[in-house]
Amino acid sequence: MKTAAFPELASMAFRNLGRHRVKTAVTVTAVAISVALYIFIDGWLLGMNLDSKRNIVAFEAGAARIQSKAWFAKKDELPMYESFGGHEALSARLDEAGFDTAPRFLFEGTLLSRERSAPIAFIAMDPGREAKLLRWQDYVASGRAPVPGRFEIALGSMAAGKLRVDLPARPDAAEFEAMLAAAADADEAVFVRGLYLDAPPDRVAPAEFRRLKPVLAAMPGGKDVLRAYELPWDGDAWRLRKDARPAAFGELAAALRAAGFDFQPRHTLRPDASRTDRDRLWAILAASGRMDVRISTVIDIKELPARVDASKFEAELLPALRSDDRALASRAYPADPASGDRALAEADPGRRDRLLRAMLDAGFAPAVRHVNQLIDAVVVGTVDSPNPKTNGNVAYMPSDALQDEAGMMLEGRITELLVRAKGADDTALPDPGESPRAVKAALGGALPAGLEVYGWLDGVEDYIAASRGDEVSTRVMVGLLFVLSFIGIANTMLMAILERSKETGMLRALGMTGGQVLAVYVMEAAAIGLLGSAIGVAAGCLVNVPMVAYGIDYSGMLENMGTDYGYRVVAFFRSAWNPPVIAASALVATLVSGLMAIPPTLRALKVPVTESLRFE
Amino acid sequence: MKRTIAACALAALLAIPALAQDAAAILAHVDSNEGYSSISYKGTMTIEYRGKRFVKTFESVARGRNESWVEFTNPEDRGTRYLKRDGRLYVWSPDTEEVMLISGHLLKESMMGSDLSYEDTIDSETLSARYVPALKGTEDVDGRKAYVLELIARKKTESYPKQVLWVDAETLSVLRFELYALSGARLKDYRLVRSELIGGRFFPVEFEMRDLLRKGSRTVFAMREVQLDVPLPDSAFSMRRLEQ
């Protein structure tokens, strides 16, 4: 093809676009929707993942964590018997190398409030060192963070709500009366009453609402009540709108009562209550015992069993051990001549340790003993951070209070040591200088055998699974949309080329080469792709602007999903800009569109010119 | 005067080991009183929890402290079976038709919604082997004179680090006991409702258990048609029977 003919060929291609306006418009729209959707979905996924990763680092994991390999292998069980001591030496070394560290001991238990109970993951930590590395203490929504040396708990806000160890947002009549009774004197009672607004009922039965409607419509302020309620799709009851203004609750409640509707008083914590007021209310409720809790748990202790049943020794333990450990076990547990049972006779500490390790690695249950423990504590604050994991069934406690038999018999042992570079930016993900390899290098061989440095993503499989799953499914969905668009382009071009068979034959008879004909059609298809891409990019970016700035409020949905949906994002899912993907999606759509014209054109070019000229 | 003081001091010194020996002897008697080579009975478990009442019936056999079999017969739980052997506890449920090993933290869970945990059912060793007893005096329990024994675990890995027993001074049956957590907080209460003289010993046939962490909860176990020291075949405690 001569280069000089290119402008003319391009001109022909663009003129052809105008000749088939409807088909061109439909195809351009399909491409535009695909590109816009791809940009939207990609930006949304990127935003959610970026926020999630930042929140994992800032609220859960730091940049790296040192754990025992045995603990990591069984981390879903939170095996407290796989804890380790001597972490202060590691912390000192890392401190010199420019890292902050936060020791933690994780365990499970049941938290019992005065009214309810819930399974909770407890994090025993050093509040001061934790604050240097993680940010959850900045998000203590009510009350305060726990103080070292005390049996105090900062509890995830959702768990606190379920257990009723928080500031009640909407107490019922009985709970409100109990709160007033908790006041030490009349002044406090007035203060408590003043913090709550008289709220209209959440639900009104349809029959009652029908009766009230004409009365409310005729009375001053009644229309505000009618506007404040909505009937959801299930038609079960009229419900107070979520966006109803609490400031107007008093008038709404008064209007309903004036209309003759008798309802149980319900109160709402003033949305404008100051931090000082909330703290005072917390202190009043805490003094009444509302925040007192008990932790029911077990302390798992690894220990060589003194005796092992003969059958259990032979059938369960020995087959699970390596051959050299089998010999060690047989020597350490000689058979009792009378019963055949095995009694521990090994005294050498080294061999005992090795055998215990072998039993634990083999999952031999009698090597772990469970001691019942019940600890009295008090909830001093609730955590409501941007990372839902901190807001669920999680409790933070000072580890120094749990060191002896009144606590968890920690005796200086921890299950993990979190690591982050000093002064690291919260909004930035860890850089290579904070990688496990870098932390290991900073320790310079001081890492004891059995311990390992893990990356911040190593312990968040739930997030990785959710992220990968969503990424694959949404990209497949959008990919299918793309395929459909391209099929549309292919179809449009096929029809156009078939319809123009006579015209193609004439052009070829007049001396146009096959390559030039092909170029015209490819350019025509590519122009459709380019137009669609341009519109798609513009639309995608327009949608992305508010998505990046404000996001979508998923709080209603998340209330039902709890805190275990993988992503570490609360309420607002925000998008992020991804310029390379935006440019690539436009380029790919244009290129693929152009390529779609090749097969039908080649087919048309195979037909002899004389036959093309006879085509009707 | 000096002689009197010396005599009192000597008496006190002698009394300490004597009292300790008494405590050990009482506990040994408690162990032997509740020990058996085998047992067969039909039982009823009445659970009261949060104002509701659940009645479960079952049949059970056991051999020594290491082997036992329980099969529930009430309509809601019919076919649910538990087998304890080799220090392990297995359950077979007709819903899943699978054998499951109850181990680790699962052992802390309530057994069939009762005030008893699985762990409470699988202790194999005698109290004397696991605890050091101390006689704390005598008290009146429901009109009966009872020795008060405080048991402190020999090892710090014992599930309940402390127990307190009220032992009938006449029959040496356990009238009441309390189980404590490591922190010293009371976790569970047991009260004997009725014991019967079976095979020359007073055997508890009805008792009440309370898990103090479950508000408003209690479980009453009643045994009938109790037969002690009857021969039982090995097949009564086989995995095959559990899976049938």
Side-chain angles (χ1 to χ4, degrees):
Chain A
M1 188 186 3
K2 286 177 185 171
T3 318
F6 183 81
E8 283 172 30
L9 298 178
S11 165
M12 278 178 72
F14 284 111
R15 275 203 302 276
N16 279 341
L17 284 179
R19 288 169 60 195
H20 305 277
R21 282 194 192 94
V22 176
K23 276 178 198 158
T24 303
V26 169
T27 316
V28 163
T29 308
V31 174
I33 290 172
S34 302
V35 170
L37 257 178
Y38 193 82
I39 290 170
F40 167 72
I41 297 278
D42 178 77
W44 190 52
L45 283 174
L46 182 70
M48 281 212 306
N49 284 307
L50 263 178
D51 279 349
S52 290
K53 286 174 179 173
R54 284 184 194 132
N55 288 340
I56 287 168
V57 173
F59 294 94
E60 273 181 76
R65 33 188 166 193
I66 300 173
Q67 292 162 335
S68 75
K69 290 174 191 166
W71 191 93
F72 187 80
K74 293 177 263 189
K75 62 181 181 299
D76 292 340
E77 304 165 21
L78 296 184
M80 64 174 82
Y81 54 90
E82 299 291 12
S83 56
F84 61 97
H87 62 88
E88 289 304 341
L90 299 175
S91 295
R93 194 95 181 222
L94 289 169
D95 182 55
E96 284 169 16
F99 290 99
D100 283 324
T101 54
R104 289 176 145 201
F105 188 95
L106 312 183
F107 65 98
E108 284 178 317
T110 302
L111 196 65
L112 301 115
S113 67
R114 286 205 304 201
E115 295 181 38
R116 298 172 184 187
S117 64
I120 298 286
F122 291 89
I123 300 173
M125 44 86 222
D126 177 332
R129 290 170 69 178
E130 186 101 347
K132 284 185 184 171
L133 212 133
L134 300 178
R135 295 287 160 259
W136 63 264
Q137 289 181 64
D138 299 339
Y139 292 86
V140 174
S142 296
R144 58 172 173 78
V147 169
R150 297 188 194 167
F151 290 98
E152 294 184 342
I153 291 174
L155 190 61
S157 54
M158 288 173 81
K162 276 184 252 166
L163 291 167
R164 296 197 170 179
V165 282
D166 61 350
L167 298 185
R170 288 176 69 77
D172 57 25
E175 195 177 7
F176 193 67
E177 283 308 312
M179 289 167 65
L180 292 177
D185 51 37
D187 278 352
E188 275 192 0
V190 169
F191 167 75
V192 173
R193 198 179 288 280
L195 270 186
Y196 283 85
L197 298 162
D198 185 14
D202 288 333
R203 298 156 65 92
V204 181
E208 187 66 27
F209 203 83
R210 268 198 302 279
R211 186 185 71 77
L212 292 168
K213 224 171 175 176
V215 185
L216 287 164
M219 61 185 273
K223 282 180 183 158
D224 292 338
V225 178
L226 297 176
R227 275 195 292 271
Y229 282 87
E230 63 184 349
L231 187 65
W233 62 271
D234 58 10
D236 184 34
W238 284 80
R239 292 183 196 161
L240 190 64
R241 286 179 184 276
K242 281 200 167 174
D243 57 359
R245 286 183 308 114
F249 278 4
E251 287 89 48
L252 296 180
L256 273 167
R257 285 203 181 93
F261 184 45
D262 186 27
F263 58 90
Q264 281 285 310
R266 192 165 183 99
H267 302 85
T268 296
L269 183 62
R270 299 185 76 94
D272 57 349
S274 69
R275 181 77 199 200
T276 313
D277 285 345
R278 294 171 70 93
D279 286 350
R280 187 177 170 200
L281 179 60
W282 185 285
I284 291 168
L285 296 179
S288 73
R290 181 186 169 99
M291 309 305 181
D292 292 348
V293 289
R294 306 188 97 181
I295 302 165
S296 170
T297 184
V298 287
I299 302 171
D300 295 340
I301 300 173
K302 57 186 174 189
E303 184 190 62
L304 283 175
R307 293 183 73 83
V308 181
D309 293 336
S311 59
K312 199 169 193 172
F313 190 85
E314 299 292 339
E316 191 184 327
L317 178 61
L318 289 184
L321 296 177
R322 293 200 312 261
S323 59
D324 51 341
D325 291 330
R326 272 202 291 274
L328 179 65
S330 298
R331 279 197 303 275
Y333 283 93
D336 183 294
S339 66
D341 289 348
R342 303 290 187 130
L344 180 63
E346 181 60 71
D348 179 69
R351 281 198 287 273
R352 285 174 71 105
D353 284 352
R354 194 182 130 201
L355 183 56
L356 180 57
R357 183 71 265 152
M359 282 184 175
L360 292 171
D361 290 344
F364 188 59
V368 179
R369 298 286 300 168
H370 311 286
V371 180
N372 285 288
Q373 183 59 303
L374 190 67
I375 302 167
D376 289 314
V378 59
V379 176
V380 295
T382 60
V383 181
D384 194 9
S385 88
N387 182 331
K389 282 283 173 190
T390 65
N391 310 338
N393 287 18
V394 174
Y396 298 89
M397 285 191 82
S399 54
D400 56 351
L402 302 174
Q403 296 297 317
D404 58 17
E405 292 190 355
M408 293 296 291
M409 286 208 300
L410 302 187
E411 296 168 350
R413 299 179 74 79
I414 61 169
T415 55
E416 63 182 17
L417 185 68
L418 306 188
V419 183
R420 183 101 219 242
K422 284 180 181 175
D425 180 4
D426 273 354
T427 57
L429 294 178
D431 61 36
E434 299 173 273
S435 68
R437 183 178 290 186
V439 173
K440 252 182 172 171
L443 285 168
L447 192 68
L451 297 190
E452 186 56 89
V453 185
Y454 296 97
W456 59 276
L457 272 173
D458 286 331
V460 289
E461 284 80 3
D462 60 328
Y463 158 68
I464 292 169
S467 172
R468 282 192 184 148
D470 278 0
E471 189 147 339
V472 169
S473 57
T474 47
R475 285 193 199 277
V476 164
M477 209 169 66
V478 176
L480 279 174
L481 217 81
F482 260 91
V483 168
L484 284 175
S485 308
F486 296 138
I487 289 172
I489 294 170
N491 187 48
T492 304
M493 293 313 297
L494 182 70
M495 296 301 290
I497 291 163
L498 278 177
E499 279 173 10
R500 287 184 245 157
S501 289
K502 198 170 186 176
E503 190 180 315
T504 307
M506 196 181 292
L507 288 171
R508 288 165 70 196
L510 288 171
M512 207 167 175
T513 64
Q516 286 170 326
V517 172
L518 181 65
V520 169
Y521 285 126
V522 167
M523 279 193 277
E524 186 180 333
I528 291 174
L530 186 67
L531 261 175
S533 297
I535 296 168
V537 166
C541 290
L542 274 176
V543 174
N544 230 20
V545 168
M547 281 297 294
V548 171
Y550 310 107
I552 296 176
D553 184 1
Y554 279 84
S555 52
M557 194 177 85
L558 297 184
E559 268 175 32
N560 299 324
M561 289 170 73
T563 57
D564 291 327
Y565 59 96
Y567 289 102
R568 305 302 202 265
V569 185
V570 172
F572 283 90
F573 285 10
R574 286 192 173 87
S575 296
W577 290 108
N578 198 352
V581 166
I582 294 172
S585 61
L587 190 69
V588 168
T590 306
L591 280 176
V592 175
S593 299
L595 294 175
M596 287 292 114
I598 294 175
T601 312
L602 289 178
R603 199 175 137 195
L605 289 173
K606 277 183 188 164
V607 180
V609 175
T610 48
E611 211 169 300
S612 296
L613 287 169
R614 281 200 298 271
F615 188 86
E616 288 298 332
Chain B
M1 182 64 183
K2 274 184 185 171
R3 186 177 288 179
T4 312
I5 293 169
C8 287
L10 186 65
L13 280 171
L14 289 172
I16 291 166
L19 211 60
Q21 199 178 25
D22 281 349
I26 294 166
L27 192 61
H29 208 100
V30 167
D31 280 331
S32 69
N33 219 18
E34 294 187 0
Y36 39 77
S37 64
S38 67
I39 185 171
S40 158
Y41 66 93
K42 289 181 178 170
T44 305
M45 193 158 77
T46 308
I47 303 161
E48 290 174 20
Y49 186 45
R50 291 183 175 168
K52 290 182 182 167
R53 193 164 177 270
F54 309 91
V55 178
K56 297 175 189 291
T57 55
F58 58 93
E59 294 178 6
S60 178
V61 290
R63 195 160 60 180
R65 288 175 176 272
N66 292 319
E67 293 172 306
S68 64
W69 166 273
V70 178
E71 180 164 357
F72 283 84
T73 52
N74 57 301
E76 299 83 11
D77 306 299
R78 193 186 305 279
T80 301
R81 304 161 192 159
Y82 289 89
L83 172 66
K84 174 187 156 188
R85 54 177 273 179
D86 303 332
R88 309 189 98 183
L89 186 63
Y90 302 90
V91 60
W92 186 90
S93 160
D95 295 336
T96 58
E97 295 194 340
E98 272 183 21
V99 172
M100 194 177 87
L101 172 69
I102 300 174
S103 63
H105 281 245
L106 264 183
L107 289 168
K108 295 286 167 194
E109 298 293 318
S110 154
M111 182 185 183
M112 303 292 285
S114 74
D115 288 62
L116 223 66
S117 68
Y118 292 113
E119 181 188 54
D120 296 335
T121 67
I122 63 163
D123 272 328
S124 301
E125 298 272 2
T126 60
L127 289 172
S128 300
R130 290 154 50 206
Y131 292 93
V132 177
L135 187 57
K136 292 293 179 182
T138 58
E139 278 181 21
D140 184 276
V141 177
D142 299 331
R144 296 189 69 85
K145 184 188 170 192
Y147 296 120
V148 184
L149 287 187
E150 186 181 85
L151 312 186
I152 301 297
R154 291 182 188 278
K155 293 197 299 184
K156 67 175 184 179
T157 53
E158 190 60 52
S159 178
Y160 295 104
K162 182 179 138 184
Q163 295 194 21
V164 177
L165 267 62
W166 282 259
V167 182
D168 191 314
E170 196 180 316
T171 64
L172 294 179
S173 301
V174 176
L175 299 175
R176 190 182 150 195
F177 69 74
E178 295 171 345
L179 304 176
Y180 288 82
L182 184 67
S183 62
R186 192 150 56 103
L187 294 174
K188 286 184 182 175
D189 266 3
Y190 163 100
R191 276 177 185 275
L192 178 71
V193 177
R194 188 166 55 88
S195 65
E196 281 179 6
L197 192 62
I198 303 172
R201 73 187 92 172
F202 282 95
F203 195 81
V205 292
E206 189 172 345
F207 55 90
E208 177 193 285
M209 200 76 190
R210 281 179 192 267
D211 181 343
L212 301 179
L213 299 181
R214 292 168 29 127
K215 283 178 190 129
S217 174
R218 70 174 197 140
T219 302
V220 175
F221 291 85
M223 298 152 82
R224 62 184 198 281
E225 298 175 34
V226 180
Q227 290 179 288
L228 294 180
D229 305 325
V230 289
L232 294 167
D234 287 346
S235 60
F237 308 102
S238 67
M239 291 298 285
R240 177 180 288 214
R241 186 184 178 200
L242 187 68
E243 291 163 0
Q244 267 175 359

